Amino acid sequence: MNKRKTVLLSLALAGAAAVHAQTEQAGKSPWGSHDEIGTLNMMNESTTRALFSAVRSGKVYDLGVEYFTGMPGFTELGDPPYQFWMTHTPRGTVVGNISKQGAAINRKVSYTGDAISMYTHTGTHIDALNHFGLHGKIWNGYTADEHLSDRGWDKAGAEKIPPVIGRGILIDIPAYKGIDVVPGNYVLSLKELQQLIQAQQLQINKGDIVLFRTGLMKYFYTDREKFMHNTPGVSIEAIRWLIEEKGVMTLGADNLSLEPLPSTDSANWLPGHTYLLAQKGSMFIELVYLEELAAAKVREFLFIGTPLKLRGASAGPLRPIAVSF
């Protein structure tokens, strides 16, 4: 390639990057200038009542993972691992008499207490809209300069997330491909997603909650290294189609990030995160336990998730359930 062609190519790439950057802007909410929950505004009493009335079997599936010392988590970026420690033990209460009740009473009334410390994105959780932004702004144009203090965000924090209730759809990738776990370099393309939906006879409606199973939970409790370094995900094209064409309310997956890591976008290390959270106001759920749901071949269900109301936080730990229709 001669010098002139090299210069022209560089200018073209720079121009494309500039256009890309201009289109990646924090979105303004169609639900108003004070909106802090984005697409969760799709929920209403009428749709919730219809979903509950559709339940026939009543079989409940727990979609949350256990929390334990050494569990997989986002420690690669320097965030703290899950920590658990005892604050009171039956024997310690007797010896230390912390309760001031005396040895006889402390032997009779045994007392155990404990505490935890963790990154808010540990275990099954939902990302709040303040988690990722673009060009200094999060969803609806809120900025850190105006809304982030030493005690967290006063906009779009985890305490603002309502109970998440909707029609859930399971996208079971390993079942479609006839394997146990998808490989680490696997990216679910839009074309393959559409083929899978057709093959599994799924109907995705506006306001749905779409959950992706990669099979990675096979390693969550038994092999931390395999879980952490096996990073498949959903392509940005597939995510866009679900949000813009199908009108889903939110997404979730059984892996660390929903989208693949590392990113194939040289201009954005987590394009799926910025697209969903900053541009579209769509919170999403990570580290969802989908094994029992998949084993029972339940593909459509009532989803209920109630996040912890952590004021100002960028995520809310979640204990979701699925109730089969």
Side-chain angles (χ1 to χ4, degrees), residues 63-85:
L63 307 184
V65 299
E66 296 176 19
Y67 290 76
F68 57 95
T69 302
M71 67 186 293
F74 287 95
T75 54
E76 299 293 329
L77 299 180
D79 297 297
Y82 176 82
Q83 297 288 341
F84 174 96
W85 66 96

Side-chain angles (χ1 to χ4, degrees), residues 295-313:
K297 294 182 170 54
V298 175
R299 303 280 165 76
E300 180 185 356
F301 46 90
L302 168 63
F303 177 95
I304 303 173
T306 52
L308 292 182
K309 300 170 77 170
L310 303 180
R311 185 177 294 181

Side-chain angles (χ1 to χ4, degrees), residues 228-288:
M228 290 293 294
H229 295 101
N230 192 350
T231 53
V234 184
S235 69
I236 188 65
E237 292 78 18
I239 291 172
R240 286 181 185 275
W241 180 75
L242 287 167
I243 296 295
E244 297 178 20
E245 299 297 323
K246 305 304 289 184
V248 304
M249 181 168 67
T250 190
L251 306 173
D254 60 359
N255 62 359
L256 282 169
S257 60
L258 176 66
E259 61 186 303
L261 292 172
S263 167
T264 56
D265 184 347
S266 61
N268 190 332
W269 68 286
L270 280 174
H273 279 58
T274 55
Y275 171 77
L276 287 166
L277 298 173
Q279 293 180 257
K280 294 299 179 180
S282 180
M283 304 181 213
F284 58 95
I285 307 163
E286 293 164 317
L287 295 168
V288 190

Side-chain angles (χ1 to χ4, degrees), residues 15-65:
V19 170
H20 187 57
Q22 288 172 2
T23 57
E24 287 188 304
Q25 301 289 334
K28 298 295 289 184
S29 175
W31 293 281
S33 60
H34 299 292
D35 175 46
E36 300 178 58
I37 64 170
T39 57
L40 294 187
N41 282 289
M42 291 182 176
M43 293 185 294
N44 59 60
E45 292 180 12
S46 176
T47 56
T48 299
R49 186 167 57 250
L51 286 166
F52 275 95
S53 66
V55 173
R56 294 292 180 266
S57 78
K59 172 66 176 176
V60 176
Y61 298 88
D62 191 338
L63 307 184
V65 299

Side-chain angles (χ1 to χ4, degrees), residues 146-172:
E146 293 179 286
H147 298 290
L148 178 60
S149 74
D150 292 341
R151 297 297 178 266
W153 286 84
D154 65 16
K155 294 290 185 182
E159 82 280 9
K160 306 293 177 59
I161 307 174
V164 182
I165 301 173
R167 175 177 175 263
I169 295 294
L170 175 63
I171 304 290
D172 193 341

Side-chain angles (χ1 to χ4, degrees), residues 42 166-172 188-190 192-212 234 238-252 299-301 325:
M42 291 182 176
R167 175 177 175 263
I169 295 294
L170 175 63
I171 304 290
D172 193 341
L188 180 66
S189 68
L190 173 56
E192 189 169 18
L193 172 61
Q194 292 171 334
Q195 291 171 341
L196 185 157
I197 289 170
Q198 184 176 13
Q200 295 184 349
Q201 298 181 314
L202 303 175
Q203 177 67 45
I204 297 179
N205 301 326
K206 183 178 180 181
D208 282 352
I209 298 166
V210 177
L211 304 179
F212 292 91
V234 184
I239 291 172
R240 286 181 185 275
W241 180 75
L242 287 167
I243 296 295
E244 297 178 20
E245 299 297 323
K246 305 304 289 184
V248 304
M249 181 168 67
T250 190
L251 306 173
R299 303 280 165 76
E300 180 185 356
F301 46 90
F325 288 133

